[in-house]
Amino acid sequence: MEKKQKIILDCDPGHDDAIALLLAARHPGLELLAITTVAGNQTLEKTTRNALSVCTLAHIRDVPVARGMAQPLVREARYASDIHGESGLDGPALPQPEREAVPEHAVDLIIDLVRSTDDVVLVATGPLTNVASAITREPAILSRLKGLYLMGGAIGLGNVSPAAEFNIYFDPEAAAIVFNSGCPITMIPLEVTHQALATPAILERLRALGRPVPSFVCQLLEFFGNTYRQVFGFTAPPVHDPCAVAALIDPTLVSQHSMYVAIETRGEYTLGRTVCDVYGVLGRRANACVGYGLDAPRFWELLIETLASYGEESASDG
């Protein structure tokens, strides 16, 4: 049996973060060491509660959840309640969390785990505030990290502004620190995630499993689909964050190209843009592998098969 890849999931649940969490906790190729939360889709209090509620629903009991940064490094927070609702996970009824977050701060936990564990991959599906803070506080972890997979940015159009994707826009200064750090980065932008559409046929496959966790995911996607239809005119919602986890599990799912990516931190109209030098015109060394294509049928097979493995008595153990 192949060795499991050890990961830390840094997230801001969030409908698609919740699905990414369920994939990361259950896939047999991964060992989820910790879940760290950050402000983004909603306040830190809400994203942390949502992570704990999802863990309760799926009986994920052996993975610590740690609270992280409550604000962007230098800017005011701008939450995504228009997409994720007031709770950050509007739609399904959420169980009361059966446990609390650990006392340790997420940034400290990231540093401690990377220092003490070989070959850890950090998967970031929210703003990069925790990641940037960990790198800034303890630069030595960069030589220990196997890599960073992140959902964020766009080669072309943004979603929170014409130029910027939400996770990068929420804390562009943090993103700039991360992209300038020298850490091996795999960036899963909107060009990839907009190919992972939860169509009615996908929802029907989830519903047909007749189990609590896939049914919960179906309810998440129904709410998410309604907001995406109202705000963006999508006929089916894109499932952004699980794409970053799936790209780590099976890199052949995502077509990628190495390039230099700069983060715009000053533009009047372009704040938070990931400036992707696709053609190498800047003459700068590549600092990221940037995805641009997704094998959507195989992505959905991987995700649905993993969600189906949560039985009536879901458990992350074993």
Side-chain angles (χ1 to χ4, degrees):
M1 184 177 173
E2 281 189 29
K3 189 176 164 187
K4 291 187 175 192
Q5 174 60 61
K6 293 179 169 67
I7 72 165
I8 300 166
L9 181 67
D10 188 65
C11 57
D12 62 333
H15 294 69
D16 49 329
D17 297 80
I19 302 168
L21 190 163
L22 291 166
L23 175 59
R26 191 69 174 186
H27 193 275
L30 301 179
E31 181 183 346
L32 183 58
L33 301 177
I35 298 159
T36 53
T37 59
V38 68
N41 286 322
Q42 261 299 349
T43 64
L44 178 67
E45 181 185 351
K46 291 177 181 178
T47 61
T48 305
R49 186 186 189 282
N50 290 342
L52 291 165
S53 290
V54 172
C55 287
T56 296
L57 177 99
H59 299 280
I60 300 165
R61 300 186 176 103
D62 55 344
V63 181
V65 176
R67 283 187 191 85
M69 303 296 285
Q71 294 286 333
L73 294 181
V74 299
R75 297 178 186 275
E76 290 294 313
R78 303 177 184 90
Y79 307 116
S81 52
D82 58 329
I83 301 296
H84 295 276
E86 273 307 307
S87 73
L89 268 186
D90 280 13
L94 290 172
Q96 190 72 22
E98 66 182 10
R99 61 188 173 107
E100 295 184 357
V102 297
E104 192 172 8
H105 193 281
V107 173
D108 295 323
L109 184 57
I110 290 169
I111 292 169
D112 290 347
L113 285 171
V114 174
R115 271 175 171 166
S116 62
T117 314
D118 292 334
D119 295 329
V120 173
V121 171
L122 194 49
V123 180
T125 61
L128 293 169
T129 319
N130 286 343
V131 182
S133 298
I135 289 169
T136 303
R137 187 177 303 175
E138 189 52 78
I141 66 171
L142 288 167
S143 62
R144 298 273 306 161
L145 259 181
K146 185 176 178 181
L148 169 67
Y149 279 67
L150 67 92
M151 187 280 126
I155 299 168
L157 295 175
N159 60 0
V160 72
S161 79
E165 178 276 332
F166 176 81
N167 283 342
I168 307 298
Y169 177 83
F170 188 89
D171 196 346
E173 284 76 17
I177 289 169
V178 172
F179 275 84
N180 288 327
S181 70
C183 179
I185 294 171
T186 300
M187 170 178 143
I188 305 299
L190 295 178
E191 283 75 11
V192 171
T193 67
H194 283 178
Q195 297 174 55
L197 299 176
T199 62
I202 294 294
L203 296 184
E204 188 48 48
R205 286 173 67 184
L206 288 168
R207 220 176 272 116
L209 294 170
R211 293 176 179 174
V213 169
S215 297
F216 169 73
V217 169
C218 210
Q219 292 171 54
L220 285 176
L221 291 172
E222 285 166 352
F223 179 89
F224 203 44
N226 287 334
T227 60
Y228 254 83
R229 194 175 303 113
Q230 292 161 15
V231 177
F232 296 113
F234 276 51
T235 55
V239 184
H240 304 286
D241 295 337
C243 292
V245 180
L248 172 59
I249 294 167
D250 182 356
T252 68
L253 290 175
V254 177
S255 306
Q256 303 172 28
H257 183 60
S258 292
M259 65 185 76
Y260 176 70
V261 179
I263 308 297
E264 180 55 69
T265 58
R266 290 178 295 189
E268 182 180 356
Y269 297 105
T270 57
L271 181 68
R273 182 170 182 79
T274 43
V275 181
C276 297
D277 189 12
V278 176
Y279 300 112
V281 297
L282 296 176
R284 302 284 297 270
R285 181 181 296 177
N287 60 355
C289 275
V290 180
Y292 60 87
L294 177 72
D295 187 333
R298 286 177 54 227
F299 164 79
W300 283 112
E301 285 302 323
L302 183 152
L303 181 56
I304 292 172
E305 183 181 345
T306 305
L307 294 174
S309 74
Y310 284 98
E312 292 299 326
E313 293 300 321
S314 308
S316 70
D317 327 84

